[in-house]
Amino acid sequence: MAATRASGTTAVRYGTMRDNVLALEVVLADGRIIRTGSRARKSSAGYDLTRLMIGSEGTLGIITEMTLKLHGQPEAVSAATCRFGSVADAVGCVIATIQSGLTVARIELLDEMMLRGFNAYQGSDLPEAPHLFVEFHGSPAGVGEQAQAFGDLAGEYGASAIRWTDRAEECRELWHMRHQAHYATGALDPGKRTLATDVCVPISRLAEAVTHAQALARELRLTSTIVGHVGDGNFHCGLRVDPGDADEVARIHRFTAALAENALRLGGTVTGEHGVGVGKIAYMSAEHGAAVAVMRSLKSALDPKGILNPGKMLPADDEG
Amino acid sequence: MAATRASGTTAVRYGTMRDNVLALEVVLADGRIIRTGSRARKSSAGYDLTRLMIGSEGTLGIITEMTLKLHGQPEAVSAATCRFGSVADAVGCVIATIQSGLTVARIELLDEMMLRGFNAYQGSDLPEAPHLFVEFHGSPAGVGEQAQAFGDLAGEYGASAIRWTDRAEECRELWHMRHQAHYATGALDPGKRTLATDVCVPISRLAEAVTHAQALARELRLTSTIVGHVGDGNFHCGLRVDPGDADEVARIHRFTAALAENALRLGGTVTGEHGVGVGKIAYMSAEHGAAVAVMRSLKSALDPKGILNPGKMLPADDEG
């Protein structure tokens, strides 16, 4: 993958991370070593074991090698930041952008609290308002035209302070800031720790989901930054927590539960990237229903002794 | 999916068919009904049952509903046909196009014999030489620029008779011709039937694979057209056969065997789109090695009585 695909930032142009995995070498529970997939870009020969293993969190096998698609560096790049009056406007602009057929290389939402974090972290004085960071790749005129079209759409959604650059160095600088989001969250409420969680919803429900998360944090008196890979409908909350404060920990749990339940209510998933582990096992049955039993059958078939990452991802039989 | 994604033609811009499936409803062997995936564009919650079911040829469950991604109609379209001196030149042009970062919406190879088929079918007098059909989607200037860049690359690979159009009607006409490939193959060797087969190889080995297939057909005195979804490294052979001619049937079997074995030798797969069924069961072990046993375990876990499309896709235990 091109360097520009780092850090899980959305890339509608390049697909999700898992779309870029062609083949795997996997060690199974009984020590057998298998190869899944090939260097061919597609296959209809047999079950898609590559996708079955990706995201299985080590519960079906241990991935020891992977073959990835490579993307060439684009001829031209144009990136921008712009400011919106509300999260709803920012997300409305994203939806309009995607519906217009513009092929974004990345498009990221940063909420008001995230901007406050950047100000605290880097000593800046940026307006604490929702922002979009966007980037287009392609041929010079094509990129210019897409930038123009995006700028027009952003204007329709009340964007201000649109700042474009097509200089590689400035693009890097812009995304460097974005990639500091974790540290910038850490600059809020000094002395606390960050708990990160994510959900993913249909893009048409994204504004609703983000607005709900913001209201929830206010209601529960929690500090939460939001960074969204909005081209995918996926967003991350960075919650500040004092592990010694039992009441705050309880409010954090209420937040993450309400966030996950709302994602399901909106037709989404309790995690777009982070995975299930133990923290989201409780929602597996709510999200997948009868399919959880199917997942359990697959687990038993490939790891009958339950020695691979035991207790992770799948609820015990009597839990769901 | 947009109408332009019909008929399995390559769409690097839009991903493969399976990339466009978000969610399924599946009836299992024991009558349970499950839902896999959601309307969210990505998820890390549990095993990817959607991908496991896609391409399982009804051996794990019966798909009764699917949720697909939709793509907007592009603002501008530019399509072209061009002629090459050899398959190697045509495929070289495809590789250069992809490496240049041009995002093709579709790019199809038609070999000499395919052109002969079109002439026979539609009474035309097109030169019987390898052709590429290509289409770009995007903004007007962007599409123009990509068309220009492609034209330059095609020129470097000795393309002639490059015919561009950006009129929707002419684009439709052009692809209508391509979509008649099956009937055009049927216009060769009247009275025979068509047997279609496909393989998929890494794009870097595609010229070699297609050239091998052509030489093989000549050597075995078979009529075979080739149509390639070359952006994916996938191509289809349309072989004309008289089912009553035992010798020809035997030569067809030698052809399909050598085609599949060569695809594996080149690091590819014995089928990119058509699937395994019974015809390619013999190659499953050669392609997947120890992973076939894993596929068999999954099949046993989900269909212990073996009632779903029995005998298809997976070789019996003692066969591999």
Side-chain angles (χ1 to χ4, degrees):
Chain A
M1 285 169 288
T4 46
R5 280 289 293 116
S7 298
T9 43
T10 292
V12 173
R13 184 183 168 99
Y14 302 111
T16 63
M17 281 294 195
R18 66 185 68 203
D19 292 333
N20 287 285
V21 180
L22 286 173
L24 299 174
E25 181 190 78
V26 182
V27 181
L28 301 179
D30 59 7
R32 277 178 298 166
I33 297 171
I34 60 167
R35 288 190 163 272
T36 75
S38 74
R39 287 175 53 232
R41 288 173 65 105
K42 68 185 179 194
S43 173
S44 295
Y47 305 146
D48 191 342
L49 300 183
T50 306
R51 282 294 191 114
L52 183 64
M53 289 294 167
I54 297 172
S56 65
E57 302 184 10
T59 63
L60 297 180
I62 297 167
I63 295 170
T64 48
E65 200 182 294
M66 50 205 310
T67 304
L68 303 178
K69 280 186 202 170
L70 295 175
H71 297 281
Q73 291 290 349
E75 193 189 350
V77 170
S78 186
T81 59
C82 49
R83 192 163 81 216
F84 291 85
S86 69
V87 162
D89 281 342
V91 174
C93 174
V94 173
I95 294 172
T97 301
I98 292 172
Q99 285 179 342
S100 304
L102 297 178
T103 309
V104 289
R106 2 187 201 187
I107 186 161
E108 296 276 312
L109 170 72
L110 298 87
D111 85 338
E112 304 87 312
M113 191 64 83
M114 190 70 254
L115 268 290
R116 184 179 300 178
F118 282 121
N119 284 337
Y121 179 65
Q122 63 193 16
S124 54
D125 194 27
L126 300 164
E128 293 174 5
H131 278 67
L132 285 180
F133 281 29
V134 65
E135 192 168 284
F136 294 98
H137 293 176
S139 52
V143 155
E145 205 166 36
Q146 296 208 70
Q148 172 73 48
F150 175 80
D152 291 348
L153 286 170
E156 287 176 28
Y157 286 87
S160 58
I162 307 184
R163 185 188 146 217
W164 283 100
T165 177
D166 53 8
R167 291 181 46 216
E169 200 179 315
E170 284 181 19
C171 288
R172 267 198 300 278
E173 198 179 301
L174 188 157
W175 291 105
H176 177 72
M177 174 173 155
R178 159 65 189 86
H179 292 149
Q180 301 291 319
H182 179 75
Y183 305 103
T185 298
L188 297 168
D189 296 353
K192 294 189 179 183
R193 291 190 178 177
T194 299
L195 184 141
T197 189
D198 84 322
V199 293
C200 187
V201 297
I203 297 169
S204 58
R205 313 305 293 270
L206 184 62
E208 203 175 331
V210 172
T211 307
H212 170 267
Q214 291 182 319
L216 199 61
R218 277 193 301 271
E219 185 189 318
L220 293 168
R221 292 170 287 114
L222 295 168
T223 299
S224 170
T225 58
I226 291 181
V227 176
H229 307 327
V230 279
D232 286 339
N234 176 222
F235 67 95
H236 299 257
C237 298
L239 296 149
R240 295 294 285 165
V241 57
D242 172 2
D245 179 344
D247 181 69
E248 189 168 67
V249 169
R251 281 181 282 122
I252 290 275
H253 285 149
R254 282 173 56 198
F255 179 91
T256 54
L259 186 77
E261 284 155 15
N262 196 51
L264 293 180
R265 192 181 63 80
L266 297 174
T269 171
V270 298
T271 175
E273 293 181 345
H274 288 206
V276 175
V278 292
K280 288 187 174 171
I281 276 191
Y283 309 107
M284 286 293 281
S285 293
E287 176 162 342
H288 298 292
V292 170
V294 173
M295 294 183 195
R296 228 183 255 125
S297 303
L298 301 179
K299 167 74 174 171
S300 299
L302 297 191
D303 180 22
K305 295 181 183 163
I307 60 174
L308 290 172
N309 210 5
K312 304 289 165 39
M313 183 181 275
L314 294 173
D317 225 335
D318 52 2
E319 294 174 53
Chain B
M1 284 169 289
T4 49
R5 279 290 291 118
S7 298
T9 45
T10 293
V12 172
R13 183 183 169 101
Y14 302 110
T16 62
M17 281 294 196
R18 65 184 70 203
D19 293 333
N20 288 287
V21 181
L22 286 172
L24 299 174
E25 181 190 78
V26 183
V27 181
L28 300 178
D30 59 7
R32 277 178 297 166
I33 297 171
I34 61 168
R35 290 192 162 271
T36 74
S38 75
R39 284 176 54 231
R41 287 173 66 102
K42 67 186 179 192
S43 173
S44 294
Y47 306 145
D48 190 341
L49 300 184
T50 306
R51 281 295 191 115
L52 183 65
M53 290 293 166
I54 298 173
S56 66
E57 303 184 9
T59 63
L60 297 179
I62 296 169
I63 295 170
T64 48
E65 198 181 296
M66 49 205 310
T67 305
L68 304 177
K69 281 186 202 170
L70 295 176
H71 298 281
Q73 291 289 351
E75 193 187 350
V77 170
S78 186
T81 58
C82 49
R83 191 163 81 217
F84 290 86
S86 70
V87 161
D89 280 343
V91 174
C93 174
V94 173
I95 294 173
T97 300
I98 292 172
Q99 285 179 342
S100 304
L102 297 178
T103 309
V104 287
R106 8 187 196 184
I107 186 162
E108 297 276 311
L109 171 72
L110 298 89
D111 85 338
E112 303 88 311
M113 192 64 83
M114 190 69 253
L115 268 289
R116 184 179 301 178
F118 282 121
N119 284 338
Y121 180 65
Q122 63 194 16
S124 55
D125 192 27
L126 300 163
E128 292 173 7
H131 278 67
L132 285 181
F133 281 29
V134 64
E135 191 168 282
F136 294 98
H137 293 177
S139 51
V143 155
E145 206 166 36
Q146 296 208 70
Q148 171 73 48
F150 175 81
D152 292 349
L153 286 169
E156 288 176 27
Y157 285 87
S160 58
I162 308 184
R163 183 188 146 215
W164 284 100
T165 178
D166 53 8
R167 292 180 45 214
E169 199 179 315
E170 285 182 18
C171 288
R172 267 198 302 277
E173 198 179 301
L174 190 157
W175 291 103
H176 177 72
M177 173 171 154
R178 159 64 190 85
H179 292 149
Q180 300 291 320
H182 178 76
Y183 306 102
T185 298
L188 297 167
D189 295 354
K192 294 189 179 184
R193 291 189 178 177
T194 300
L195 184 142
T197 188
D198 84 321
V199 294
C200 187
V201 298
I203 297 169
S204 59
R205 312 306 293 272
L206 182 63
E208 204 175 330
V210 173
T211 306
H212 170 268
Q214 292 182 318
L216 199 61
R218 276 194 300 272
E219 186 190 317
L220 293 169
R221 292 169 287 116
L222 295 168
T223 299
S224 170
T225 57
I226 291 181
V227 176
H229 308 326
V230 280
D232 286 340
N234 177 220
F235 67 94
H236 299 256
C237 298
L239 296 148
R240 295 295 283 166
V241 58
D242 172 3
D245 179 345
D247 181 69
E248 191 169 65
V249 171
R251 282 180 282 123
I252 290 276
H253 284 150
R254 283 172 58 198
F255 179 91
T256 55
L259 186 78
E261 284 156 14
N262 196 51
L264 294 179
R265 191 180 66 78
L266 297 174
T269 171
V270 298
T271 174
E273 293 180 346
H274 289 207
V276 174
V278 291
K280 287 186 174 173
I281 277 192
Y283 309 107
M284 286 293 281
S285 293
E287 177 161 344
H288 298 292
V292 170
V294 173
M295 294 182 195
R296 228 183 255 124
S297 302
L298 301 179
K299 166 73 174 171
S300 299
L302 296 191
D303 180 23
K305 296 180 183 163
I307 60 173
L308 291 172
N309 210 5
K312 303 291 164 41
M313 183 181 275
L314 293 173
D317 225 336
D318 52 2
E319 296 174 52

